[in-house]
Amino acid sequence: MASPVVYFVRRGHLPISRFLLCAIVPLWSCGSQAPEVVSSQPQSPQRVSQLQILARTPGVAIRLPAKGGTPQLYRLPRLTAVEGVMRGKLPPVERVVGLDPESEFLFVATAKRELLALDLGSGRVDTVATGIAQAALGPDGTLYAVDTMRRVISLSRRTRFAWPQPLTALPRDLFGATDQHLVGVIPQDRLLVAAADQPPTVLPIAAGGDVAATRWGDLVAVASDTGVTFYDPLGRRNPSFVRLSDAPRALAFSPSGHRIYVARRSVPGLAVVDRFERRELDGVALPGPVAALRLDPLGRWLLARPAAGDSAWIVDLPIKQHTGIVPTAWQSDLPAISPDGVLIYRRRNDVLAVRPDSLTEVGKVERGAADLWILTTWLPRGVPASVASSARAESAGTGAEGPLYVQVSTSQNPEWSGHLADDLSRAGMAARVLPPQHPDDGYRVVLGPFTTRAQAEATGRRLGRPFWIYQPGQ
């Protein structure tokens, strides 16, 4: 393993946030082998798996023709067409339900309420269910489909299963959770939790509007007239309420699930709420009220749809600043941030790829706006190794070395590393924990990812302490 580059910074020459230092120094002084720190935050069974968020990968974009046909593959970030690797033909698709990279299945819904599964490896197209009213892809790759008769079909590890009992009501919102649980919001303001081998449970919830769930489905947030209420679908914790000064509108959890971003109906900008401390932390200033939110899968960028006009506001989450705007129609697939941190959006008849920090255009697909797009970490087996290597080089930028991280600690204790990452995140840093690459390695607390070394160094200097520039694979 290559030695990391160490940067020593003299505090006196740099402006350092007093609040940031208060959050970092106590934990840093414990050293890399610090003992476990008792946290006031409730622990979930998925705690360690939530921490194991890997580095950005090159990924690809898949284009589904609006009139039906064979999907087209594009290498990111430059949207370079890769010919001859996609197989199978789809009918016209109304929406994309999701893509599971592990099983290599792409799930789509048609205007005829058919739920189809495209095997990306073989090109085979199968009908999973018909008469579909709702469908969702869970975090473990399990697909859930509810038809108009409230019957549930699930597909896990290529095994299709019809649930023996229908749901008590048809959900208006549907989420997949861990352990093959389904979570839905049903009429009369109730939260339904169901599994194939367990009777469903129903919990009353606050009457409200928008609903959001964490990636693992372990917490559901409901917006009401006066604030946001948090519910544990499995009933392990009592509901909690956070009052806001203005009625919330759109909700979006951070990828780790520890924060939720809230748009207000009449007040410009966003409120930021900590789910564990159950209070509003701070906010993000924006030019006006927001109607919808969409986060980067790794929590680096947030896209906000203004309440009026067709555009997307770009928010740099580590510094909580509005950094740019692009004119674009807001649809179910785009605008979005790709796996390698590039903004993909429609501009008139074309689809563009730009760097979200500078809005520098890096790729374009002419006349691609009419089709549906999927941004994914999946790489087809038919892509030669040289193509994948080229994608890594492109994602890093000219002269760069790929996704880079600022490493601040290494420990054999995953819980301690998680507490440190949480404290850094509360201080406004995009912190996460990378799992050991080898049995003798430790859990690395890192900030990032960054596409260039200059960005990584600039963030590291904000710490006012020694730091390491870390690249996955070193």
Side-chain angles (χ1 to χ4, degrees):
M1 182 174 67
S3 299
V5 179
V6 184
Y7 293 81
F8 294 94
V9 180
R10 289 182 293 178
R11 291 187 199 175
H13 289 200
L14 294 168
I16 302 171
S17 167
R18 181 174 301 175
F19 172 75
L20 179 60
L21 285 176
C22 290
I24 296 173
V25 172
L27 282 171
W28 193 307
S29 62
C30 295
S32 62
Q33 302 298 328
E36 181 174 350
V37 178
V38 178
S39 172
S40 61
Q41 298 177 358
Q43 301 296 318
S44 70
Q46 293 81 33
R47 174 68 176 176
V48 175
S49 64
Q50 290 179 15
L51 298 177
Q52 296 181 3
I53 302 175
L54 301 179
R56 288 193 188 274
T57 57
V60 296
I62 299 175
R63 177 184 181 182
L64 304 181
K67 298 181 179 180
T70 302
Q72 173 67 53
L73 187 77
Y74 292 84
R75 194 170 68 242
L76 297 171
R78 303 191 185 280
L79 290 174
T80 305
V82 181
E83 305 292 345
V85 297
M86 299 292 293
R87 291 178 289 177
K89 291 186 178 181
L90 290 170
V93 173
E94 185 175 68
R95 73 181 182 96
V96 175
V97 176
L99 188 154
D100 179 27
E102 184 175 351
S103 66
E104 296 191 307
F105 268 130
L106 169 64
F107 301 105
V108 298
T110 70
K112 298 179 180 180
R113 292 193 170 184
E114 296 175 316
L115 183 60
L116 306 179
L118 170 63
D119 188 326
L120 297 173
S122 66
R124 178 177 174 176
V125 178
D126 290 320
T127 301
V128 178
T130 58
I132 294 303
Q134 289 282 3
L137 186 63
D140 57 358
T142 301
L143 175 73
Y144 304 92
V146 183
D147 66 17
T148 54
M149 302 300 293
R150 298 179 279 110
R151 296 172 298 199
V152 181
I153 299 291
S154 61
L155 181 66
S156 178
R157 294 179 173 84
R158 298 178 178 264
T159 300
R160 182 179 180 273
F161 182 72
W163 290 19
Q165 298 293 330
L167 300 180
T168 56
L170 192 63
R172 65 176 177 89
D173 296 286
L174 187 68
F175 309 99
T178 55
D179 300 326
Q180 299 187 10
H181 278 78
L182 174 154
V183 178
V185 178
I186 59 178
Q188 299 180 351
D189 299 312
R190 291 177 295 167
L191 189 68
L192 180 144
V193 183
D197 57 350
Q198 298 175 8
T201 59
V202 177
L203 306 173
I205 60 176
D210 284 15
V211 176
T214 61
R215 177 183 175 186
W216 294 272
D218 64 325
L219 196 71
V220 175
V222 180
S224 62
D225 291 338
T226 56
V228 179
T229 307
F230 297 96
Y231 297 91
D232 182 343
L234 298 182
R236 296 164 299 188
R237 294 178 291 268
N238 293 327
S240 59
F241 175 74
V242 177
R243 184 175 297 276
L244 299 175
S245 58
D246 187 68
R249 188 173 187 176
L251 307 173
F253 275 101
S254 64
S256 65
H258 77 288
R259 287 186 179 181
I260 187 168
Y261 298 89
V262 184
R264 283 78 62 91
R265 292 192 178 276
S266 57
V267 177
L270 308 176
V272 183
V273 175
D274 188 296
R275 65 172 278 192
F276 295 112
E277 297 183 4
R278 300 181 179 88
R279 66 183 180 90
E280 184 177 352
L281 296 177
D282 46 24
V284 178
L286 290 173
V290 170
L293 301 172
R294 187 170 291 162
L295 265 77
D296 167 9
L298 290 185
R300 174 70 171 84
W301 299 98
L302 179 145
L303 302 178
R305 177 187 181 183
D310 285 333
S311 61
W313 292 333
I314 304 168
V315 176
D316 188 336
L317 286 179
I319 61 175
K320 297 185 181 66
Q321 286 188 5
H322 171 223
T323 59
I325 181 173
V326 292
T328 185
W330 192 282
Q331 299 181 20
S332 61
D333 56 345
L334 300 179
I337 302 293
S338 71
D340 55 349
V342 175
L343 171 60
I344 312 293
Y345 70 99
R346 292 179 173 90
R347 187 178 69 184
R348 295 185 289 275
N349 296 326
D350 304 328
V351 170
L352 273 66
V354 302
R355 302 288 184 190
D357 52 354
S358 63
L359 297 184
T360 302
E361 182 179 323
V362 295
K364 181 170 70 173
V365 177
E366 296 181 351
R367 297 180 296 278
D371 301 326
L372 285 176
W373 290 80
I374 306 138
L375 309 179
T376 174
T377 58
W378 172 78
L379 281 174
R381 299 174 186 177
V383 174
S386 60
V387 174
S389 299
S390 175
R392 292 187 181 95
E394 288 183 0
S395 68
T398 303
E401 303 165 33
L404 298 172
Y405 290 81
V406 175
Q407 180 177 328
V408 300
S409 175
T410 301
S411 173
Q412 297 292 336
N413 189 326
E415 291 296 321
W416 181 87
S417 298
H419 300 329
L420 173 57
D422 287 343
D423 285 338
L424 289 168
S425 297
R426 292 192 190 96
M429 313 294 283
R432 67 193 73 250
V433 178
L434 300 183
Q437 296 179 334
H438 304 286
D440 295 335
D441 291 347
Y443 291 83
R444 307 182 187 210
V445 178
V446 299
L447 309 176
F450 305 95
T451 56
T452 66
R453 185 167 294 273
Q455 293 174 344
E457 292 178 6
T459 300
R461 291 191 182 100
R462 292 174 56 191
L463 299 171
R465 304 284 296 189
F467 62 91
W468 295 260
I469 299 298
Y470 163 71
Q471 181 180 7
Q474 288 184 337

